[in-house]
Amino acid sequence: MSFLTVRDLTASYGVSQALFGVDLTVAKGEVTALLGRNGMGKSTTVKSICQMIRSKGTITLDGLNLQNLPSYKVSREGVGLVPEGRRCFSDLTVRENLIATARPGEWDLNEVTKLFPRLDERKGQRAGSLSGGEQQMLAIGRALMTNPRLLILDEATEGLAPIIRQEIWAAIRQLKQETSVAILLIDKSLKELSAISERAIILERGRTVWSGKMTSLTHEITEKYIGI
């Protein structure tokens, strides 16, 4: 049963329309990959789900209509976002970044630092002084501190060193195996996505052009919609 359902989603930036009809679903406890070339509407879809921009269409989370809710209420309903570009609070310490978003639940400082031990080592350090990979861990930890029911990761491994990328993927696998959180994942690494995702949705020019099981994603489909 779908936990997140998006139907016929359209969105614009001023007079420039970016989404023309996006359909997607994410099931509880599963990882769904949102794919497509750059500029095809993936991040705009995420912003629409989180109500960071206004859109039209249907967006429901566990039966609740998210349309027209302020973004902070969407977060309170259980949507945790790891945004593209990390966007940590650079002048706050690691610990302060984490507790700033904390909500009651199983994810607390202890659990987050168990998932990412580096954050425990640097808990008194300003976020702006962390490496890019450590900031990404912090962004994921900050989202988990909201105790989300749906976790959205927008390019969580982009631009990171290979060893750090593997740590991030290992953490996502652990989340899938040990929690019931639904995960919507945007990334360019098809190899890693194929190993962790049950389903995939492909966007092309602001529309859903393919959806199905990850095992049904053929080389021909990826060359048509994802290849350069």
Side-chain angles (χ1 to χ4, degrees), residues 33-91:
L34 183 59
L35 306 173
R37 297 184 181 94
N38 290 340
M40 293 301 167
K42 302 186 298 297
S43 291
T44 302
T45 298
V46 168
K47 291 177 182 177
S48 298
I49 293 169
C50 296
Q51 295 298 292
M52 296 166 70
I53 62 170
R54 290 303 171 201
S55 59
K56 295 180 180 179
T58 301
I59 307 172
T60 59
L61 182 75
D62 200 18
L64 175 68
N65 182 13
L66 298 185
Q67 284 286 31
N68 301 318
L69 289 181
S71 57
Y72 74 89
K73 287 191 176 180
V74 173
S75 176
R76 287 181 180 175
E77 290 298 335
V79 179
L81 174 63
V82 181
E84 186 177 16
R86 300 152 196 154
R87 302 184 190 179
C88 299
F89 304 117
S90 60
D91 289 333

Side-chain angles (χ1 to χ4, degrees), residues 39-225:
M40 293 301 167
K42 302 186 298 297
S43 291
T44 302
T45 298
V46 168
K47 291 177 182 177
S48 298
I49 293 169
C50 296
Q51 295 298 292
M52 296 166 70
I53 62 170
R54 290 303 171 201
S55 59
K56 295 180 180 179
T58 301
I59 307 172
T60 59
L61 182 75
D62 200 18
L64 175 68
N65 182 13
L66 298 185
Q67 284 286 31
N68 301 318
L69 289 181
S71 57
Y72 74 89
K73 287 191 176 180
V74 173
S75 176
R76 287 181 180 175
E77 290 298 335
V79 179
L81 174 63
V82 181
E84 186 177 16
R86 300 152 196 154
R87 302 184 190 179
C88 299
F89 304 117
S90 60
D91 289 333
L92 299 183
T93 65
V94 167
R95 184 180 184 278
E96 288 168 341
N97 266 269
L98 293 173
I99 63 174
T101 63
R103 287 175 56 80
E106 64 176 297
W107 286 102
D108 56 18
L109 279 172
N110 183 56
E111 291 302 313
V112 167
T113 53
K114 278 168 56 178
L115 184 66
F116 294 118
R118 289 178 187 229
L119 297 183
D120 190 42
E121 296 168 5
R122 290 157 174 72
K123 60 188 175 185
Q125 194 170 325
R126 287 177 57 252
S129 68
L130 301 178
S131 69
E134 291 165 348
Q135 287 186 23
Q136 189 63 72
M137 294 174 189
L138 179 56
I140 296 172
R142 182 180 59 185
L144 290 173
M145 289 287 286
T146 69
N147 277 282
R149 297 185 292 161
L150 169 69
L151 182 64
I152 304 175
L153 299 105
D154 191 353
E155 302 285 6
T157 69
E158 184 177 22
L160 301 181
I163 190 170
I164 301 297
R165 287 170 57 88
Q166 291 310 309
E167 288 187 45
I168 299 294
W169 284 117
I172 296 171
R173 285 193 296 273
Q174 185 174 339
L175 290 174
K176 177 183 176 180
Q177 293 165 1
E178 299 180 3
T179 75
S180 61
V181 67
I183 299 176
L184 181 62
L185 185 56
I186 300 173
D187 203 274
K188 295 182 176 66
S189 177
L190 277 176
K191 178 182 177 181
E192 298 291 348
L193 288 171
S194 297
I196 199 172
S197 305
E198 283 84 8
R199 294 178 49 80
I201 294 99
I202 301 178
L203 302 187
E204 175 83 4
R205 297 181 181 178
R207 292 182 173 87
T208 298
V209 292
W210 188 89
S211 65
K213 293 182 178 180
M214 184 61 81
T215 53
S216 300
L217 187 60
T218 65
H219 176 73
E220 289 75 19
I221 293 170
T222 58
E223 281 296 301
K224 182 176 182 180
Y225 294 118

